[in-house]
Amino acid sequence: MQGLTYKYYRKNGTKTIYIILHGGGAVGVETDFISSIFDAIAATKNSVLCFNFPYCERGEESSSGPKLKEEVDALKQVVDFAHLKGFHKIRIVAKSLGGIIASYYLEQYPDSQIELSILGYIPGEIKQGAISNNLKLVIQGTNDRFASPIEVKKNVGSLVEIIKILDADHSYRNSKKEPVYQETAIKELMKWVKKC
């Protein structure tokens, strides 16, 4: 995976890999939240990979532009790598902007074998039509500035499981901006991981 910073845990004999997509900001996979998700999934003896989008490598805060070409190309490189390594099932765990990028990717490269969970769904930005067959889980704070869990349900329909985190904002923080609900979000995500 040329030009990408990534963390990769391969559990021998597994046919499923979890690919974690980080949200906006210049830190990417090194954020405590993304690292904690990676560690929690790896602890279940599942293979897992997370990587920085190219804008992170440049120290920029946000994506390459309206078509997200650079980000989609990076995700394609990672998905191709996963297939090359023999993984049959890909499950994407996407935070915020990562969910938008996953939707752009699946619009260009539809794949019914990919399952998607989004932590912090952003209506109007995510191409819902492109992920309607892939999206399985949304974890949304009740104080998310982009949408409440009820608004998300209107966008995604009744077949998607929506977990609401009471009093949490878009980054699973409380009103004092303390990330106190991130652990709750990870616990909910891990229930989905363990079900499969």
Side-chain angles (χ1 to χ4, degrees):
M1 290 181 295
Q2 228 169 348
L4 296 178
T5 295
Y6 64 94
K7 280 199 305 192
Y8 177 41
Y9 170 78
R10 182 185 178 105
K11 176 65 180 168
N12 202 23
T14 57
K15 293 295 177 199
T16 300
I17 186 167
Y18 288 81
I19 298 173
I20 304 168
L21 308 184
H22 64 76
V27 185
V29 298
E30 284 87 20
T31 64
D32 290 342
F33 187 49
I34 297 298
S35 290
S36 296
I37 293 170
F38 182 96
D39 293 345
I41 294 173
T44 65
K45 304 290 187 263
N46 279 289
S47 295
V48 59
L49 188 155
C50 64
F51 67 98
N52 279 346
F53 288 112
Y55 69 84
C56 272
E57 299 297 312
R58 296 189 297 268
E60 295 168 9
E61 286 286 323
S62 61
S63 61
S64 64
K67 295 213 186 301
L68 302 172
K69 181 179 174 1
E70 211 175 37
E71 291 78 13
V72 168
D73 288 349
L75 180 52
K76 183 172 188 331
Q77 202 180 340
V78 170
V79 170
D80 289 349
F81 171 84
H83 286 307
L84 196 66
K85 294 294 181 186
F87 292 104
H88 299 303
K89 186 104 181 137
I90 293 172
R91 305 182 96 205
I92 294 175
V93 176
K95 171 71 182 97
S96 186
L97 173 63
I100 299 168
I101 294 164
S103 74
Y104 276 66
Y105 171 82
L106 287 163
E107 183 179 58
Q108 289 177 45
Y109 307 102
D111 185 341
S112 59
Q113 295 303 302
I114 293 177
E115 290 186 355
L116 175 63
S117 65
I118 295 178
L119 285 68
Y121 186 100
I122 305 177
E125 298 290 332
I126 289 173
K127 294 179 177 281
Q128 180 57 38
I131 61 170
S132 58
N133 295 324
N134 307 90
L135 185 62
K136 305 298 176 199
L137 174 73
V138 174
I139 301 174
Q140 198 82 356
T142 57
N143 292 342
D144 192 307
R145 70 183 185 276
F146 294 106
S148 70
I150 293 162
E151 290 169 298
V152 171
K153 191 151 195 77
K154 287 178 193 164
N155 276 272
V156 304
S158 59
L159 296 177
V160 177
E161 183 181 1
I162 297 172
I163 306 288
K164 63 179 178 187
I165 310 283
L166 207 59
D167 298 326
D169 72 4
H170 188 66
S171 297
Y172 309 106
R173 300 172 303 190
N174 63 13
S175 57
K176 295 177 187 163
K177 303 289 182 205
E178 299 161 330
V180 295
Y181 301 114
Q182 289 184 353
E183 199 177 311
T184 307
I186 293 170
K187 278 181 185 159
E188 293 297 344
L189 176 68
M190 295 317 295
K191 288 179 191 171
W192 178 68
V193 170
K194 287 169 182 168
K195 267 195 282 191
C196 304

